[in-house]
Amino acid sequence: MSFFRQLLEIYNIPIFSKRKLLKKLRSDWLEPAQKWRDFSKIETFLKLSEGYHKQGTIDDKTWHDLGMNAIFSKIDTTLTEVGQQVLYRKLHLLDVEEASLKQQYDFAREIETDQALREKLQTMLYPLSVLSVKSTVKLLFDRFQYSNISKILAVGWVFLSIFILFCSVYFESRIFYILTFFIILANLFVVRPKYLDAIDKSAYPLHCMNKMLIVARSFATNKFSTIYLCGSIKDHHSSIRNTKWRLGLLLFSQSSDNFLISYPMYLINLLIPIDTLVYVFLINSIDKNLDTLRLCFRMLGELDANIALASYTMRNPCHCNPTIVQAKRLSLENAYHPLVENYVVNSFQTGGESALITGSNMAGKTTFIRTIGINVILSRTLWLCHADKAIVPIINVSSSISNTDFLEEGKSYYFSELEYINKFLHLSQTEEHYLFLIDEIFRGTNTVERIGGAAAVLQVLAVKDVVLVTTHDIELERFLYERYEMWHFQETGKKEVPFDYKIRPGVCRTKNAIKLMKDMGYPDYIINRAKAIASEMEEQYAAPVQISKSG
């Protein structure tokens, strides 16, 4: 390996061979490489910009319940961390404008079919692929923090350093040599330690911003002006150029962006602290151009995220573009879960009614409501649905499916579920409309109180919002039939294939749990005792119950 290539690798500069790069891009396009993801970094942009989005946002609990990190990982073929951060945020924000979603999707399909355009965009984005942008995102979207160094002191110290250095050269006096030596010591042990730490903390983020501005300028050309994402960059071309110049000068003085001047600049700054002087005069102008820097970040990230979306639609052709409606109408035809390999398609529709879904364990109830939730989110964020046809309402999504995480916090399963269901009750009183996904409601308590509590809560939630709730308690039908449609999964009765994972109208009436125990080889005395206890309980719960119709 040549000395020049070694220097490029040491300073984390991509070795830009167009032929090799295109070969890699084409290989990754057909079969994306697996990569490890640090979600604590990836979520930075989302966490710092949550307040900017006025519409529905997928909360952390729902994101976790639906396994959205795995969905994101399947979609994420971004080249850069900028695109990765933007894509992660995009999947959390539910859009109400079908037109904007269609524009994004159509651009992704154009990228998918136009190989030359796609590879040109990827090649231009590639220089950003080596950047780690977490600190940059914090600097851009949290609060632009920089060291407030006194300009008067900085200018005074620089002029004093220049004066003493000039005198030592011109007069060749020992006293000035000594003063020069003390200036070097002061810069090395006082000035630089005092200010350099603050400067260095912003050096790498500013370096990343500079790289983004360079790439953004390359997109601000007439050739790409027809791309809807590049229009904003082109409109701010002058501001991008000026900000790029200031950043370049600032980074040049800090010698963080050009290794050829690194050591000479270090020596110069020991004699005359130029980096401190440049920093105090230019950092304020960077602060004033934050809108330009944020625009570049978002637009470059959107381009990269759209390329990832194009890759996903190419690898997953079995999808449709949903119709997004105002009414509480939810309809999915032959829908499936995108992470299940040998999936079984299911069709489901409701004209505003909620749904009570019954059936045995492992029959497919939980996977089904996750399928609905995931496809509603993808419809509202990427304008695609894993189904043959879909109608999706403008509705937020919130879930209570997996509450096991709270066991580590000392909370019982039932207590943690109570907290989330209570949150749903508060949300149901707002003006927003919600799709509530609830798995095995109140499973952590006794039968009588579980049915009573569940019926009371579900009656209220269904007044304004749509609820999909799974349960083993078919008794709930007696209390919920006014506002809930009944759906179920059932057993096949076969040991080899116990379930077909198909949803059907009505309540599950089959009782094959004890039969499955027998098929699994349980002793006869256990089977007989189980049947006797089950019969006794059926008689107990067969007592008449008054059905309240008042809601």
Side-chain angles (χ1 to χ4, degrees), residues 390-539:
I391 299 174
V392 176
I394 296 177
I395 197 169
N396 298 322
V397 181
S398 196
S399 71
S400 177
I401 296 177
S402 175
N403 296 309
T404 55
D405 291 347
F406 289 91
L407 297 177
E408 298 178 0
E409 300 178 15
K411 297 181 180 179
S412 70
Y413 188 100
Y414 179 62
F415 184 78
S416 63
E417 187 177 19
L418 283 177
E419 288 185 326
Y420 272 96
I421 300 300
N422 191 39
K423 174 186 174 184
F424 292 174
L425 290 171
H426 287 292
L427 291 175
S428 69
Q429 304 304 314
T430 66
E431 295 181 358
E432 299 288 330
H433 291 281
Y434 281 86
L435 169 63
F436 294 122
L437 306 173
I438 306 174
D439 186 39
E440 299 292 352
I441 185 168
F442 295 154
R443 74 180 74 174
T445 190
N446 66 78
T447 304
V448 173
E449 292 188 310
R450 179 174 67 248
I451 294 173
V457 167
L458 294 174
Q459 286 171 354
V460 172
L461 290 180
V463 172
K464 179 176 71 70
D465 300 301
V466 178
V467 185
L468 301 185
V469 56
T470 70
T471 184
H472 292 285
D473 299 319
I474 61 175
E475 295 84 358
L476 283 170
E477 176 190 14
R478 306 170 66 188
F479 304 97
L480 302 177
Y481 69 93
E482 290 183 334
R483 295 189 183 277
Y484 282 76
E485 297 175 353
M486 303 299 155
W487 297 81
H488 75 280
F489 290 85
Q490 67 183 34
E491 301 90 341
T492 63
K494 301 177 182 178
K495 180 179 179 181
E496 298 78 12
V497 187
F499 307 106
D500 62 8
Y501 308 109
K502 297 291 291 185
I503 195 167
R504 297 171 173 84
V507 174
C508 181
R509 304 297 181 184
T510 61
K511 298 177 182 179
N512 291 327
I514 296 178
K515 182 180 181 300
L516 288 174
M517 291 173 66
K518 183 176 181 179
D519 291 340
M520 293 296 293
Y522 278 67
D524 289 341
Y525 71 91
I526 294 291
I527 300 301
N528 294 332
R529 184 171 297 178
K531 289 180 178 178
I533 294 173
S535 298
E536 181 180 345
M537 293 184 66
E538 285 179 352
E539 292 178 3

Side-chain angles (χ1 to χ4, degrees), residues 159-184 271:
F159 274 102
L160 178 62
S161 300
I162 294 173
F163 174 76
I164 292 175
L165 182 63
F166 172 79
C167 291
S168 64
V169 173
Y170 186 80
F171 296 108
E172 298 182 356
S173 169
R174 179 177 297 180
I175 185 65
F176 286 111
Y177 290 153
I178 295 173
L179 289 175
T180 300
F181 178 72
F182 279 111
I183 286 289
I184 294 174
L271 293 171

Side-chain angles (χ1 to χ4, degrees), residues 139-314:
L139 202 63
L140 282 175
F141 295 96
D142 187 5
R143 185 172 65 87
F144 192 73
Q145 299 175 354
Y146 54 90
S147 180
N148 189 19
I149 303 172
S150 171
K151 292 183 180 180
I152 296 176
L153 289 178
V155 172
W157 183 253
V158 167
F159 274 102
L160 178 62
S161 300
I162 294 173
F163 174 76
I164 292 175
L165 182 63
F166 172 79
C167 291
S168 64
V169 173
Y170 186 80
F171 296 108
E172 298 182 356
S173 169
R174 179 177 297 180
I175 185 65
F176 286 111
Y177 290 153
I178 295 173
L179 289 175
T180 300
F181 178 72
F182 279 111
I183 286 289
I184 294 174
L185 290 179
N187 285 331
L188 183 61
F189 295 108
V190 180
V191 177
R192 293 184 67 79
K194 183 175 179 61
Y195 298 120
L196 195 60
D197 181 61
I199 295 174
D200 282 348
K201 285 182 179 178
S202 60
Y204 185 75
L206 293 175
H207 164 75
C208 293
M209 293 179 197
N210 188 52
K211 288 290 187 183
M212 286 189 291
L213 288 172
I214 292 173
V215 174
R217 282 194 66 189
S218 66
F219 281 103
T221 61
N222 292 328
K223 184 176 181 180
F224 291 106
S225 60
T226 56
I227 298 178
Y228 79 102
L229 290 170
C230 295
S232 298
I233 295 179
K234 184 177 175 61
D235 294 340
H236 292 79
H237 181 254
S238 176
S239 178
I240 292 173
R241 183 182 64 249
N242 294 334
T243 308
K244 163 71 181 71
W245 177 83
R246 293 182 178 90
L247 264 177
L249 183 58
L250 180 59
L251 292 167
F252 183 88
S253 70
Q254 297 176 19
S255 68
S256 63
D257 195 33
N258 192 331
F259 65 89
L260 295 177
I261 64 166
S262 177
Y263 298 109
M265 281 300 300
Y266 176 77
L267 295 175
I268 292 173
N269 281 315
L270 285 181
L271 293 171
I272 307 170
I274 297 175
D275 54 356
T276 305
L277 185 66
V278 174
Y279 182 88
V280 298
F281 279 95
L282 291 183
I283 198 66
N284 284 317
S285 66
I286 302 301
D287 187 19
K288 294 176 182 178
N289 287 276
L290 272 181
D291 288 342
T292 298
L293 292 166
R294 289 170 176 169
L295 170 71
C296 291
F297 180 92
R298 287 192 295 265
M299 293 303 102
L300 294 175
E302 286 282 351
L303 283 169
D304 199 8
N306 273 270
I307 295 172
L309 174 57
S311 173
Y312 184 73
T313 56
M314 184 272 297

